[in-house]
Amino acid sequence: MKTYEELKDFLKSKTKLRMSHVYKPVFLLTLLEKKGHATKQDIAESFALRDSDLVKHYKTNVVHQMPGKRLIRDGLVEKTKDGYKLTEAFDALTDSQLAEVKRL
């Protein structure tokens, strides 16, 4: 489980967030904006920015294969029946902490 400071360090770290493009930050931001739980569809839509052909591609091929597995491994998200949710570490964050994390 990550603390607030560990989460900030993770998000600031260029090596931890050296990702396939912008997937990890968009993935986490979507979960934060959806109050901790987002479906694969929600995450795919965030990736594709309303491009319906890309939404299908991301939902099927990207969401779990790339950032999903790694964010689970990193202890930031958990898989649910229809998507993903933030781990309990995010439950304790204040509104100002959430706002700061979103800005990172």
Side-chain angles (χ1 to χ4, degrees), residues 19-21 23-24 27 47 57-58 61-73 84:
M19 63 203 80
S20 311
H21 213 35
Y23 297 141
K24 280 178 160 178
F27 196 110
F47 289 160
H57 165 74
Y58 282 118
N61 301 309
V62 177
V63 171
H64 186 68
Q65 294 305 314
M66 293 181 194
K69 286 181 182 178
R70 286 171 180 80
L71 289 168
I72 290 168
R73 179 197 64 204
Y84 297 85

Side-chain angles (χ1 to χ4, degrees), residues 4-45:
Y4 172 63
E5 291 302 320
E6 290 172 324
L7 174 62
K8 279 180 29 179
D9 291 342
F10 178 87
L11 292 172
K12 287 180 180 179
S13 169
K14 299 235 187 273
T15 55
K16 292 276 186 185
L17 285 179
R18 181 178 4 127
M19 63 203 80
S20 311
H21 213 35
V22 296
Y23 297 141
K24 280 178 160 178
V26 170
F27 196 110
L28 289 172
L29 185 59
T30 302
L31 288 168
L32 289 168
E33 290 174 345
K34 298 281 188 177
K35 304 209 183 283
H37 180 270
T39 65
K40 289 180 183 180
Q41 183 71 30
D42 293 331
I43 297 164
E45 287 174 1

Side-chain angles (χ1 to χ4, degrees), residues 78-91:
E78 298 171 358
K79 191 158 180 6
T80 64
K81 179 182 171 194
D82 63 346
Y84 297 85
K85 69 176 191 166
L86 294 170
T87 58
E88 291 178 7
F90 289 89
D91 294 343

